[in-house]
Amino acid sequence: GFAWANDDGDFTSRFKANNLFYVSMYDHMTQRGYVRNVPGAPMCACVEQMPTVTRSDCTQIDVDEKYKIVHISGTNEFTAELTDIEIDFNSCKGRYNRNNDLHAYVAKLALDGKLDNDQRSELDKYIVGNGRCHEATDYAMVEKGYVTGFNHDESTWFKVAGSDSLYVDEIGKEGFKELFAESPEQIVWRGCASCISSHQNI
């Protein structure tokens, strides 16, 4: 990914299209062969359209510009002309010495006053950091009004074991044997909410 300053005159903003072309068309497609999107994500989009991740690589541009400034004789005015420009594309140098890290680079832009803190904190919704995926998932579920779990007819089925969102205290091996023996049909139903559709109910 990459980021740029709010000021349209800042070089990170003026040359953001160059950065986009380099990352998407040259570095990723031509050099690395990335020609398809990650399932569930667009191939290219702003961060708010992308899925939640723990971290993201980052590319920044470093620009050297040369100007020719001429004083207009007999006046207090000057003219300026851009005569040469050189753009290099490098891994981002982020805050806290974290390089090639989009979250740290945005933090540095905010520290330098090029982005505001609201923009920096908004990124936390999408780049959540190592070990925080469960928190981000729980937050998204609450925001959308979703509840994890699996509904079953308790008068017909008795849940004996489960994990993750289907967790239930297990009744143990002997408890299962006893229930299974008492069951009139002796059928075990396995439900898997995260499996492919053909394996969700067996």
Side-chain angles (χ1 to χ4, degrees):
F2 63 97
W4 59 89
N6 286 328
D7 181 2
D8 289 338
D10 188 273
F11 73 92
T12 61
S13 181
R14 284 189 289 126
F15 300 108
K16 59 181 179 284
N18 299 70
N19 206 356
L20 172 63
F21 184 86
Y22 173 84
V23 170
S24 62
M25 301 300 292
Y26 175 74
D27 186 42
H28 285 184
M29 186 177 77
T30 305
Q31 296 300 109
R32 306 189 195 194
Y34 298 165
V35 294
R36 292 187 179 181
N37 61 308
V38 176
M43 190 166 181
C44 181
C46 293
V47 69
E48 57 267 27
Q49 279 87 48
M50 301 299 282
T52 301
V53 296
T54 55
R55 69 171 303 279
S56 171
D57 286 353
C58 178
T59 300
Q60 72 176 41
I61 56 173
D62 296 308
V63 180
D64 287 325
E65 297 176 317
K66 292 182 180 179
Y67 290 87
K68 179 180 180 182
I69 300 176
V70 178
H71 174 248
I72 301 176
S73 180
T75 71
N76 291 325
E77 297 181 355
F78 294 82
T79 61
E81 178 186 0
L82 178 63
T83 59
D84 186 64
I85 182 170
E86 182 177 333
I87 302 176
D88 291 322
F89 302 90
N90 299 304
S91 295
C92 292
K93 294 178 175 63
R95 195 175 178 186
Y96 312 116
N97 291 319
R98 287 165 45 201
N99 297 331
N100 195 30
D101 187 307
L102 181 59
H103 194 277
Y105 182 63
V106 168
K108 184 177 185 303
L109 289 178
L111 181 68
D112 294 341
K114 296 185 176 185
L115 293 175
D116 60 53
N117 283 322
D118 287 340
Q119 291 171 304
R120 182 197 59 75
S121 61
E122 185 72 12
L123 189 65
D124 292 341
K125 296 180 182 178
Y126 307 100
I127 303 178
V128 298
N130 291 332
R132 296 190 60 203
C133 276
H134 284 297
E135 294 175 33
T137 301
D138 291 343
Y139 175 81
M141 296 286 280
V142 170
E143 285 284 291
K144 295 181 180 296
Y146 296 155
V147 177
T148 59
F150 196 86
N151 292 326
H152 62 280
D153 185 349
E154 295 184 7
S155 65
T156 304
W157 299 95
F158 183 83
K159 189 184 290 187
V160 296
S163 63
D164 298 328
S165 62
L166 304 180
Y167 177 79
V168 65
D169 289 332
E170 296 188 13
I171 61 173
K173 184 177 180 180
E174 295 304 318
F176 173 77
K177 286 182 177 180
E178 183 179 335
L179 279 175
F180 188 73
E182 294 175 357
S183 173
E185 303 296 337
Q186 294 190 335
I187 296 174
V188 176
W189 174 15
R190 174 187 173 272
C192 177
S194 60
C195 294
I196 59 175
S197 58
S198 60
H199 290 69
Q200 288 182 355
N201 294 285
I202 297 176

